[in-house]
Amino acid sequence: MLDSLWVIGIYIILLFLTIAGGIWYAVRYRKRFRWESSGIENSIVGIFGLIISFTFLQAGNAHRERYTYLHEEANCIDVLYRYSKELPDSFHLYTKNKLQQFLENHLAYEQSGDVRFFYKAKAQSDEYWNKFVAYKKQHNNVTTDKIADYFDRLQATVALFAYSNYERTPAFVVFLLIVVSMLIGFLVGFMNGVKERIHYMVPVIYFVMVSLTMLVISDLNNPRVGLIRPSYYHLQLTLEYIRTS
């Protein structure tokens, strides 16, 4: 729902207009009526804080989950490569080349966003697995069993990471956050505009704070286009280790 910068831009404009609308309505209101605080304004703002905390928690957990998958992927590749050293040189070199191709393909995808990575990764995995199964039938031992185990774990981890990039905070929760933030914005504008002397500091702070918060939530939700993206340094280190060893 907040997956692109232009949508965020529209939201920020609407948030500004709701705050300004609250001030404008308050100026007109105080000319006719006298405002008396109901005492529940702070409670309303507190409910909004809980909604933001919940959304932040979900987006942060998804971001941390992506990091976990990346580290697991790098560890599986590292262990698989180490076990392959116990195989004959020809198959060890074949494994080394395939792992290099896989990592290079993965890192290239993260830089370009080209979805053909999935098809290339599947083709590379199938090719390696078919050749490994043929080898395992002739040389079944503890090492081949361990390689098969880590290969399965690698496949599962890569799939989980790929799909985690498309997981989002439920749209209804984001919609609720947007609506509530605008209602609170109107209330903040009104509460500051209804006084004899308008104070703009609180509305400005609210506007900046909520705009930045929604931008961060959007980035955490969408690692493909946001500024907050997982670091692929561990995969790069693994690739350099395989190349030089």
Side-chain angles (χ1 to χ4, degrees):
M1 198 167 187
L2 293 174
D3 286 349
S4 62
L5 292 178
W6 70 268
V7 176
I8 284 290
I10 292 175
Y11 166 77
I12 291 174
I13 293 173
L14 291 175
L15 180 64
F16 176 81
L17 291 177
T18 55
I19 297 174
I23 296 175
W24 174 82
Y25 179 72
V27 172
R28 295 193 61 185
Y29 180 90
R30 73 183 184 185
K31 290 180 180 178
R32 300 180 180 180
F33 309 99
R34 181 179 178 182
W35 171 256
E36 294 183 5
S37 176
S38 64
I40 64 171
E41 291 83 357
N42 292 335
S43 300
I44 295 174
V45 176
I47 293 173
F48 174 59
L50 289 175
I51 296 174
I52 281 188
S53 298
F54 172 75
T55 311
F56 239 133
L57 180 63
Q58 280 200 321
N61 287 341
H63 182 70
R64 191 179 303 109
E65 189 177 66
R66 296 183 196 109
Y67 265 113
T68 301
Y69 291 144
L70 277 175
H71 292 311
E72 179 68 17
E73 177 184 346
N75 289 333
C76 287
I77 290 175
D78 180 67
V79 175
L80 194 154
Y81 176 69
R82 291 176 186 272
Y83 278 126
S84 73
K85 292 182 178 181
E86 301 178 17
L87 302 178
D89 290 342
S90 59
F91 202 88
H92 166 63
L93 291 176
Y94 177 75
T95 301
K96 178 178 181 178
N97 291 333
K98 280 299 177 183
L99 291 177
Q100 285 187 84
Q101 292 175 14
F102 181 83
L103 285 170
E104 290 169 354
N105 189 31
H106 192 168
L107 293 171
Y109 168 68
E110 299 307 332
Q111 294 176 356
S112 65
D114 189 348
V115 295
R116 286 178 293 181
F117 158 78
F118 296 107
Y119 304 107
K120 290 181 181 179
K122 185 69 168 61
Q124 290 171 346
S125 299
D126 290 344
E127 181 182 348
Y128 180 81
W129 181 249
N130 290 334
K131 189 164 184 176
F132 176 76
V133 168
Y135 175 85
K136 191 173 184 296
K137 288 180 179 179
Q138 300 176 358
H139 309 85
N140 190 13
N141 51 49
V142 176
T143 300
T144 55
D145 288 340
K146 290 180 178 179
I147 290 178
D149 178 52
Y150 277 97
F151 182 83
D152 288 340
R153 290 173 59 180
L154 173 61
Q155 291 294 97
T157 303
V158 171
L160 288 171
F161 173 73
Y163 286 110
S164 70
N165 285 321
Y166 298 95
E167 292 180 354
R168 301 287 183 270
T169 301
F172 183 77
V173 174
V174 178
F175 175 76
L176 176 65
L177 183 60
I178 291 173
V179 172
V180 173
S181 66
M182 289 184 179
L183 291 175
I184 299 297
F186 184 87
L187 177 63
V188 169
F190 179 84
M191 294 300 296
N192 285 272
V194 79
K195 298 179 181 179
E196 291 297 328
R197 184 178 179 183
I198 300 177
H199 298 279
Y200 292 100
M201 182 179 293
V202 173
V204 169
I205 291 175
Y206 175 83
F207 172 74
V208 174
M209 179 183 66
V210 174
S211 297
L212 292 177
T213 299
M214 295 298 284
L215 181 61
V216 171
I217 290 174
S218 174
D219 276 7
L220 290 173
N221 262 335
N222 193 0
R224 286 276 163 252
V225 298
L227 299 175
I228 304 175
R229 303 185 182 186
S231 172
Y232 300 97
Y233 185 63
H234 197 170
L235 291 183
Q236 292 170 343
L237 285 179
T238 304
L239 177 58
E240 289 301 318
Y241 166 73
I242 294 176
R243 281 175 176 170
T244 57
S245 63

